[in-house]
Amino acid sequence: MASTPWDYIAKLVCIGDSGCGKSSLTIRLCEGRFSPHHDVTIGVEFGSRIVPVGPPHAKPSSPFAASASADAPAPDGLPEPPRDTSKHPQKHMKLSLWDTAGQETYKSVTRSYFRGASGALLVFDLSRKQTFQHVTDWLNDLRQIAEPDIVVILVGNKADLTQQERNEREVTREEAEEWAKRNGVMEYVETSAKSGENVEKAFTRVAERIYQNIQAGKYDLNDRRSGVKGPGAGGNRQVRLADAKSGAGGCC
């Protein structure tokens, strides 16, 4: 896909137990597809996606807001956001996504990627209660290393398994929402990487909150540690999902 100009770049991490679908969520957002057979992440994988932030996109009446809420992608799975260059030029944010391994073996490696992150998706599997029971440990690890104002959203993935005739849900929406409220997490969203349900919503909700923080002056856009950069950092190139081979510093 042709590169798209962006106004900001933000580093996000996907964390949670192995097998929760973190890689599938990242692939669904970046490539608009679902692979039923995905290799276990070893260390960290990387992807990126440019999304609209702020008005006019953020207004309920925005055409993209309506399509995003319904998660109705274009044929290639990656809808181009509408632009309004009249009174309120649309702002765009490039999400630099770091998909981390969930196994204990790689925790010392994946924790290093928490540094400099401005947002995080804390993912668990709706059909496996144990993965939900571990989100507190993941959140504690994140908050020990990341910046204090990191934007965190709780994601219950594999919602498609809760809608079948044989319901495999092991965590109720009420349980998850109560945990999010109790632990100071922004909100709770249920997603399905398989169907695409709410995948865009989860990532764009984090992006919108980061944008609000930018507007409030909470980040130094020239500080590499802030996890958010202006347009002078790293160029406007689109990056394909690939194994990350480099170190964890910064947001690109």
Side-chain angles (χ1 to χ4, degrees), residues 79-114:
E80 287 293 338
R83 293 175 176 276
D84 181 352
T85 56
S86 53
K87 296 180 181 179
H88 302 286
Q90 179 70 68
K91 298 294 185 181
H92 292 83
M93 183 178 292
K94 179 178 177 181
L95 304 181
S96 175
L97 308 173
W98 298 89
D99 165 31
T100 65
Q103 294 124 310
E104 185 69 33
T105 308
Y106 301 111
K107 268 201 172 182
S108 61
V109 175
T110 58
R111 282 180 183 135
S112 66
Y113 285 84
F114 297 170

mmCIF file of all heavy atoms in Angstrom, residues 79-114:
data_model
loop_
_atom_site.group_PDB
_atom_site.id
_atom_site.type_symbol
_atom_site.label_atom_id
_atom_site.label_comp_id
_atom_site.label_asym_id
_atom_site.label_seq_id
_atom_site.Cartn_x
_atom_site.Cartn_y
_atom_site.Cartn_z
ATOM 1 N N PRO A 79 -8.929 0.287 5.213
ATOM 2 C CA PRO A 79 -9.626 1.463 4.691
ATOM 3 C C PRO A 79 -8.810 2.726 4.845
ATOM 4 O O PRO A 79 -8.174 2.931 5.868
ATOM 5 C CB PRO A 79 -10.896 1.524 5.543
ATOM 6 C CG PRO A 79 -10.517 0.855 6.821
ATOM 7 C CD PRO A 79 -9.564 -0.244 6.428
ATOM 8 N N GLU A 80 -8.805 3.550 3.829
ATOM 9 C CA GLU A 80 -8.137 4.846 3.919
ATOM 10 C C GLU A 80 -9.086 5.817 4.621
ATOM 11 O O GLU A 80 -10.239 5.952 4.234
ATOM 12 C CB GLU A 80 -7.813 5.377 2.514
ATOM 13 C CG GLU A 80 -6.665 4.645 1.843
ATOM 14 C CD GLU A 80 -5.344 4.910 2.555
ATOM 15 O OE1 GLU A 80 -5.250 5.927 3.261
ATOM 16 O OE2 GLU A 80 -4.427 4.104 2.399
ATOM 17 N N PRO A 81 -8.634 6.492 5.676
ATOM 18 C CA PRO A 81 -9.516 7.424 6.377
ATOM 19 C C PRO A 81 -9.837 8.625 5.520
ATOM 20 O O PRO A 81 -9.031 9.043 4.691
ATOM 21 C CB PRO A 81 -8.676 7.838 7.595
ATOM 22 C CG PRO A 81 -7.262 7.637 7.150
ATOM 23 C CD PRO A 81 -7.298 6.440 6.246
ATOM 24 N N PRO A 82 -11.047 9.195 5.680
ATOM 25 C CA PRO A 82 -11.405 10.394 4.913
ATOM 26 C C PRO A 82 -10.586 11.584 5.372
ATOM 27 O O PRO A 82 -10.106 11.624 6.494
ATOM 28 C CB PRO A 82 -12.888 10.586 5.243
ATOM 29 C CG PRO A 82 -13.038 9.984 6.599
ATOM 30 C CD PRO A 82 -12.113 8.805 6.619
ATOM 31 N N ARG A 83 -10.451 12.566 4.529
ATOM 32 C CA ARG A 83 -9.685 13.756 4.869
ATOM 33 C C ARG A 83 -10.593 14.983 4.760
ATOM 34 O O ARG A 83 -11.446 15.070 3.901
ATOM 35 C CB ARG A 83 -8.485 13.917 3.933
ATOM 36 C CG ARG A 83 -7.453 12.830 4.112
ATOM 37 C CD ARG A 83 -6.372 12.994 3.083
ATOM 38 N NE ARG A 83 -5.322 12.020 3.280
ATOM 39 C CZ ARG A 83 -4.322 12.173 4.138
ATOM 40 N NH1 ARG A 83 -4.236 13.262 4.867
ATOM 41 N NH2 ARG A 83 -3.398 11.248 4.277
ATOM 42 N N ASP A 84 -10.357 15.931 5.646
ATOM 43 C CA ASP A 84 -11.073 17.198 5.604
ATOM 44 C C ASP A 84 -10.013 18.290 5.647
ATOM 45 O O ASP A 84 -9.443 18.558 6.700
ATOM 46 C CB ASP A 84 -12.024 17.304 6.802
ATOM 47 C CG ASP A 84 -12.803 18.617 6.781
ATOM 48 O OD1 ASP A 84 -12.493 19.494 5.944
ATOM 49 O OD2 ASP A 84 -13.700 18.766 7.605
ATOM 50 N N THR A 85 -9.712 18.876 4.514
ATOM 51 C CA THR A 85 -8.637 19.855 4.443
ATOM 52 C C THR A 85 -9.171 21.281 4.481
ATOM 53 O O THR A 85 -8.458 22.229 4.149
ATOM 54 C CB THR A 85 -7.820 19.660 3.147
ATOM 55 O OG1 THR A 85 -8.708 19.739 2.031
ATOM 56 C CG2 THR A 85 -7.121 18.318 3.153
ATOM 57 N N SER A 86 -10.432 21.440 4.856
ATOM 58 C CA SER A 86 -11.017 22.782 4.894
ATOM 59 C C SER A 86 -10.693 23.467 6.220
ATOM 60 O O SER A 86 -9.645 24.062 6.390
ATOM 61 C CB SER A 86 -12.525 22.693 4.678
ATOM 62 O OG SER A 86 -13.108 21.769 5.584
ATOM 63 N N LYS A 87 -11.599 23.352 7.194
ATOM 64 C CA LYS A 87 -11.402 24.048 8.461
ATOM 65 C C LYS A 87 -10.558 23.236 9.442
ATOM 66 O O LYS A 87 -9.811 23.795 10.236
ATOM 67 C CB LYS A 87 -12.762 24.357 9.094
ATOM 68 C CG LYS A 87 -13.613 25.323 8.271
ATOM 69 C CD LYS A 87 -14.934 25.590 8.960
ATOM 70 C CE LYS A 87 -15.791 26.536 8.131
ATOM 71 N NZ LYS A 87 -17.114 26.794 8.769
ATOM 72 N N HIS A 88 -10.698 21.912 9.405
ATOM 73 C CA HIS A 88 -10.007 21.069 10.372
ATOM 74 C C HIS A 88 -9.259 19.950 9.643
ATOM 75 O O HIS A 88 -9.801 18.858 9.476
ATOM 76 C CB HIS A 88 -11.002 20.462 11.367
ATOM 77 C CG HIS A 88 -11.796 21.481 12.128
ATOM 78 N ND1 HIS A 88 -11.255 22.238 13.142
ATOM 79 C CD2 HIS A 88 -13.082 21.878 11.996
ATOM 80 C CE1 HIS A 88 -12.188 23.058 13.611
ATOM 81 N NE2 HIS A 88 -13.300 22.857 12.929
ATOM 82 N N PRO A 89 -8.050 20.209 9.198
ATOM 83 C CA PRO A 89 -7.292 19.156 8.524
ATOM 84 C C PRO A 89 -7.176 17.925 9.421
ATOM 85 O O PRO A 89 -6.868 18.045 10.613
ATOM 86 C CB PRO A 89 -5.922 19.803 8.291
ATOM 87 C CG PRO A 89 -6.179 21.268 8.324
ATOM 88 C CD PRO A 89 -7.292 21.470 9.309
ATOM 89 N N GLN A 90 -7.447 16.755 8.847
ATOM 90 C CA GLN A 90 -7.401 15.521 9.625
ATOM 91 C C GLN A 90 -5.982 15.217 10.071
ATOM 92 O O GLN A 90 -5.043 15.285 9.279
ATOM 93 C CB GLN A 90 -7.931 14.362 8.787
ATOM 94 C CG GLN A 90 -7.908 13.023 9.503
ATOM 95 C CD GLN A 90 -8.935 12.976 10.621
ATOM 96 O OE1 GLN A 90 -10.121 12.981 10.368
ATOM 97 N NE2 GLN A 90 -8.468 12.948 11.851
ATOM 98 N N LYS A 91 -5.802 14.879 11.335
ATOM 99 C CA LYS A 91 -4.512 14.446 11.850
ATOM 100 C C LYS A 91 -4.424 12.926 11.732
ATOM 101 O O LYS A 91 -5.428 12.214 11.831
ATOM 102 C CB LYS A 91 -4.353 14.860 13.313
ATOM 103 C CG LYS A 91 -4.375 16.364 13.543
ATOM 104 C CD LYS A 91 -3.176 17.041 12.912
ATOM 105 C CE LYS A 91 -3.149 18.527 13.247
ATOM 106 N NZ LYS A 91 -1.993 19.208 12.606
ATOM 107 N N HIS A 92 -3.209 12.430 11.520
ATOM 108 C CA HIS A 92 -2.980 10.987 11.418
ATOM 109 C C HIS A 92 -1.844 10.573 12.346
ATOM 110 O O HIS A 92 -0.880 11.308 12.518
ATOM 111 C CB HIS A 92 -2.646 10.588 9.979
ATOM 112 C CG HIS A 92 -3.798 10.740 9.044
ATOM 113 N ND1 HIS A 92 -4.128 11.953 8.462
ATOM 114 C CD2 HIS A 92 -4.716 9.843 8.602
ATOM 115 C CE1 HIS A 92 -5.186 11.789 7.693
ATOM 116 N NE2 HIS A 92 -5.569 10.520 7.764
ATOM 117 N N MET A 93 -1.999 9.410 12.930
ATOM 118 C CA MET A 93 -0.984 8.869 13.834
ATOM 119 C C MET A 93 -0.514 7.511 13.327
ATOM 120 O O MET A 93 -1.334 6.642 12.999
ATOM 121 C CB MET A 93 -1.548 8.721 15.252
ATOM 122 C CG MET A 93 -0.530 8.221 16.275
ATOM 123 S SD MET A 93 -1.248 8.109 17.944
ATOM 124 C CE MET A 93 -1.494 9.860 18.313
ATOM 125 N N LYS A 94 0.780 7.361 13.218
ATOM 126 C CA LYS A 94 1.348 6.067 12.855
ATOM 127 C C LYS A 94 1.581 5.264 14.131
ATOM 128 O O LYS A 94 2.322 5.692 15.016
ATOM 129 C CB LYS A 94 2.668 6.255 12.107
ATOM 130 C CG LYS A 94 3.340 4.946 11.718
ATOM 131 C CD LYS A 94 4.623 5.214 10.946
ATOM 132 C CE LYS A 94 5.345 3.929 10.605
ATOM 133 N NZ LYS A 94 6.603 4.186 9.871
ATOM 134 N N LEU A 95 0.906 4.137 14.230
ATOM 135 C CA LEU A 95 1.078 3.257 15.383
ATOM 136 C C LEU A 95 2.214 2.294 15.102
ATOM 137 O O LEU A 95 2.149 1.492 14.171
ATOM 138 C CB LEU A 95 -0.214 2.482 15.655
ATOM 139 C CG LEU A 95 -1.479 3.333 15.860
ATOM 140 C CD1 LEU A 95 -2.664 2.434 16.151
ATOM 141 C CD2 LEU A 95 -1.273 4.350 16.969
ATOM 142 N N SER A 96 3.256 2.390 15.899
ATOM 143 C CA SER A 96 4.395 1.478 15.806
ATOM 144 C C SER A 96 4.130 0.352 16.796
ATOM 145 O O SER A 96 4.222 0.539 18.006
ATOM 146 C CB SER A 96 5.678 2.232 16.160
ATOM 147 O OG SER A 96 6.795 1.380 16.192
ATOM 148 N N LEU A 97 3.733 -0.817 16.276
ATOM 149 C CA LEU A 97 3.211 -1.905 17.109
ATOM 150 C C LEU A 97 4.266 -2.966 17.395
ATOM 151 O O LEU A 97 4.835 -3.551 16.469
ATOM 152 C CB LEU A 97 2.010 -2.556 16.411
ATOM 153 C CG LEU A 97 0.906 -1.598 15.955
ATOM 154 C CD1 LEU A 97 -0.131 -2.338 15.124
ATOM 155 C CD2 LEU A 97 0.260 -0.916 17.139
ATOM 156 N N TRP A 98 4.470 -3.226 18.665
ATOM 157 C CA TRP A 98 5.420 -4.254 19.087
ATOM 158 C C TRP A 98 4.636 -5.382 19.734
ATOM 159 O O TRP A 98 4.058 -5.233 20.810
ATOM 160 C CB TRP A 98 6.442 -3.661 20.053
ATOM 161 C CG TRP A 98 7.254 -2.582 19.404
ATOM 162 C CD1 TRP A 98 6.955 -1.244 19.347
ATOM 163 C CD2 TRP A 98 8.477 -2.747 18.682
ATOM 164 N NE1 TRP A 98 7.917 -0.568 18.644
ATOM 165 C CE2 TRP A 98 8.864 -1.465 18.229
ATOM 166 C CE3 TRP A 98 9.280 -3.855 18.379
ATOM 167 C CZ2 TRP A 98 10.020 -1.263 17.482
ATOM 168 C CZ3 TRP A 98 10.433 -3.648 17.644
ATOM 169 C CH2 TRP A 98 10.795 -2.369 17.208
ATOM 170 N N ASP A 99 4.600 -6.502 19.041
ATOM 171 C CA ASP A 99 3.867 -7.694 19.483
ATOM 172 C C ASP A 99 4.835 -8.581 20.258
ATOM 173 O O ASP A 99 5.774 -9.131 19.690
ATOM 174 C CB ASP A 99 3.312 -8.410 18.247
ATOM 175 C CG ASP A 99 2.857 -9.825 18.539
ATOM 176 O OD1 ASP A 99 2.406 -10.070 19.675
ATOM 177 O OD2 ASP A 99 2.957 -10.674 17.632
ATOM 178 N N THR A 100 4.628 -8.698 21.562
ATOM 179 C CA THR A 100 5.591 -9.384 22.423
ATOM 180 C C THR A 100 5.204 -10.832 22.688
ATOM 181 O O THR A 100 4.023 -11.184 22.692
ATOM 182 C CB THR A 100 5.724 -8.657 23.778
ATOM 183 O OG1 THR A 100 4.476 -8.734 24.487
ATOM 184 C CG2 THR A 100 6.092 -7.187 23.566
ATOM 185 N N ALA A 101 6.213 -11.659 22.929
ATOM 186 C CA ALA A 101 5.987 -13.073 23.250
ATOM 187 C C ALA A 101 5.388 -13.191 24.647
ATOM 188 O O ALA A 101 5.715 -12.410 25.546
ATOM 189 C CB ALA A 101 7.305 -13.838 23.178
ATOM 190 N N GLY A 102 4.514 -14.179 24.830
ATOM 191 C CA GLY A 102 3.855 -14.339 26.119
ATOM 192 C C GLY A 102 4.490 -15.362 27.038
ATOM 193 O O GLY A 102 4.139 -15.447 28.214
ATOM 194 N N GLN A 103 5.456 -16.138 26.513
ATOM 195 C CA GLN A 103 6.041 -17.182 27.340
ATOM 196 C C GLN A 103 7.016 -16.624 28.371
ATOM 197 O O GLN A 103 7.723 -15.651 28.123
ATOM 198 C CB GLN A 103 6.781 -18.208 26.463
ATOM 199 C CG GLN A 103 5.853 -18.980 25.557
ATOM 200 C CD GLN A 103 6.281 -18.844 24.105
ATOM 201 O OE1 GLN A 103 6.511 -17.742 23.618
ATOM 202 N NE2 GLN A 103 6.400 -19.956 23.428
ATOM 203 N N GLU A 104 7.067 -17.256 29.522
ATOM 204 C CA GLU A 104 7.957 -16.839 30.606
ATOM 205 C C GLU A 104 9.408 -16.810 30.154
ATOM 206 O O GLU A 104 10.190 -15.958 30.576
ATOM 207 C CB GLU A 104 7.788 -17.801 31.795
ATOM 208 C CG GLU A 104 8.567 -17.405 33.038
ATOM 209 C CD GLU A 104 8.019 -16.148 33.697
ATOM 210 O OE1 GLU A 104 6.791 -15.942 33.637
ATOM 211 O OE2 GLU A 104 8.824 -15.377 34.256
ATOM 212 N N THR A 105 9.760 -17.716 29.236
ATOM 213 C CA THR A 105 11.138 -17.813 28.745
ATOM 214 C C THR A 105 11.627 -16.497 28.160
ATOM 215 O O THR A 105 12.807 -16.156 28.280
ATOM 216 C CB THR A 105 11.236 -18.905 27.641
ATOM 217 O OG1 THR A 105 10.671 -20.115 28.143
ATOM 218 C CG2 THR A 105 12.677 -19.119 27.230
ATOM 219 N N TYR A 106 10.730 -15.755 27.526
ATOM 220 C CA TYR A 106 11.136 -14.540 26.818
ATOM 221 C C TYR A 106 10.816 -13.258 27.580
ATOM 222 O O TYR A 106 10.991 -12.163 27.053
ATOM 223 C CB TYR A 106 10.445 -14.486 25.443
ATOM 224 C CG TYR A 106 10.758 -15.677 24.577
ATOM 225 C CD1 TYR A 106 9.773 -16.614 24.290
ATOM 226 C CD2 TYR A 106 12.039 -15.876 24.058
ATOM 227 C CE1 TYR A 106 10.059 -17.720 23.489
ATOM 228 C CE2 TYR A 106 12.327 -16.970 23.271
ATOM 229 C CZ TYR A 106 11.327 -17.897 22.991
ATOM 230 O OH TYR A 106 11.611 -18.989 22.210
ATOM 231 N N LYS A 107 10.371 -13.381 28.827
ATOM 232 C CA LYS A 107 9.926 -12.194 29.555
ATOM 233 C C LYS A 107 11.036 -11.158 29.733
ATOM 234 O O LYS A 107 10.788 -9.954 29.675
ATOM 235 C CB LYS A 107 9.337 -12.580 30.909
ATOM 236 C CG LYS A 107 7.830 -12.802 30.858
ATOM 237 C CD LYS A 107 7.201 -12.687 32.229
ATOM 238 C CE LYS A 107 5.682 -12.713 32.112
ATOM 239 N NZ LYS A 107 5.022 -12.559 33.420
ATOM 240 N N SER A 108 12.256 -11.619 29.974
ATOM 241 C CA SER A 108 13.350 -10.657 30.163
ATOM 242 C C SER A 108 13.582 -9.844 28.896
ATOM 243 O O SER A 108 13.987 -8.680 28.948
ATOM 244 C CB SER A 108 14.638 -11.383 30.557
ATOM 245 O OG SER A 108 15.031 -12.285 29.542
ATOM 246 N N VAL A 109 13.309 -10.462 27.730
ATOM 247 C CA VAL A 109 13.463 -9.762 26.456
ATOM 248 C C VAL A 109 12.278 -8.830 26.215
ATOM 249 O O VAL A 109 12.442 -7.645 25.906
ATOM 250 C CB VAL A 109 13.588 -10.755 25.278
ATOM 251 C CG1 VAL A 109 13.627 -10.008 23.956
ATOM 252 C CG2 VAL A 109 14.821 -11.619 25.451
ATOM 253 N N THR A 110 11.071 -9.361 26.382
ATOM 254 C CA THR A 110 9.883 -8.568 26.053
ATOM 255 C C THR A 110 9.710 -7.375 26.987
ATOM 256 O O THR A 110 9.234 -6.324 26.565
ATOM 257 C CB THR A 110 8.614 -9.444 26.093
ATOM 258 O OG1 THR A 110 8.475 -10.022 27.394
ATOM 259 C CG2 THR A 110 8.690 -10.552 25.065
ATOM 260 N N ARG A 111 10.112 -7.516 28.244
ATOM 261 C CA ARG A 111 9.976 -6.397 29.188
ATOM 262 C C ARG A 111 10.769 -5.181 28.727
ATOM 263 O O ARG A 111 10.366 -4.047 28.979
ATOM 264 C CB ARG A 111 10.443 -6.825 30.576
ATOM 265 C CG ARG A 111 9.422 -7.661 31.339
ATOM 266 C CD ARG A 111 9.969 -8.052 32.701
ATOM 267 N NE ARG A 111 9.045 -8.908 33.421
ATOM 268 C CZ ARG A 111 9.401 -9.999 34.070
ATOM 269 N NH1 ARG A 111 10.664 -10.388 34.076
ATOM 270 N NH2 ARG A 111 8.511 -10.712 34.725
ATOM 271 N N SER A 112 11.902 -5.426 28.061
ATOM 272 C CA SER A 112 12.729 -4.300 27.622
ATOM 273 C C SER A 112 11.992 -3.435 26.597
ATOM 274 O O SER A 112 12.284 -2.251 26.453
ATOM 275 C CB SER A 112 14.053 -4.805 27.031
ATOM 276 O OG SER A 112 13.835 -5.530 25.831
ATOM 277 N N TYR A 113 11.019 -4.011 25.897
ATOM 278 C CA TYR A 113 10.265 -3.266 24.893
ATOM 279 C C TYR A 113 9.176 -2.390 25.513
ATOM 280 O O TYR A 113 8.552 -1.598 24.816
ATOM 281 C CB TYR A 113 9.654 -4.220 23.861
ATOM 282 C CG TYR A 113 10.676 -4.751 22.893
ATOM 283 C CD1 TYR A 113 11.467 -5.843 23.206
ATOM 284 C CD2 TYR A 113 10.866 -4.127 21.661
ATOM 285 C CE1 TYR A 113 12.428 -6.317 22.327
ATOM 286 C CE2 TYR A 113 11.825 -4.595 20.777
ATOM 287 C CZ TYR A 113 12.602 -5.687 21.112
ATOM 288 O OH TYR A 113 13.548 -6.148 20.234
ATOM 289 N N PHE A 114 8.939 -2.548 26.820
ATOM 290 C CA PHE A 114 7.964 -1.698 27.492
ATOM 291 C C PHE A 114 8.474 -0.264 27.607
ATOM 292 O O PHE A 114 7.686 0.670 27.706
ATOM 293 C CB PHE A 114 7.644 -2.228 28.891
ATOM 294 C CG PHE A 114 7.008 -3.596 28.927
ATOM 295 C CD1 PHE A 114 6.859 -4.271 30.131
ATOM 296 C CD2 PHE A 114 6.572 -4.215 27.766
ATOM 297 C CE1 PHE A 114 6.274 -5.529 30.189
ATOM 298 C CE2 PHE A 114 5.984 -5.480 27.800
ATOM 299 C CZ PHE A 114 5.842 -6.137 29.020
#
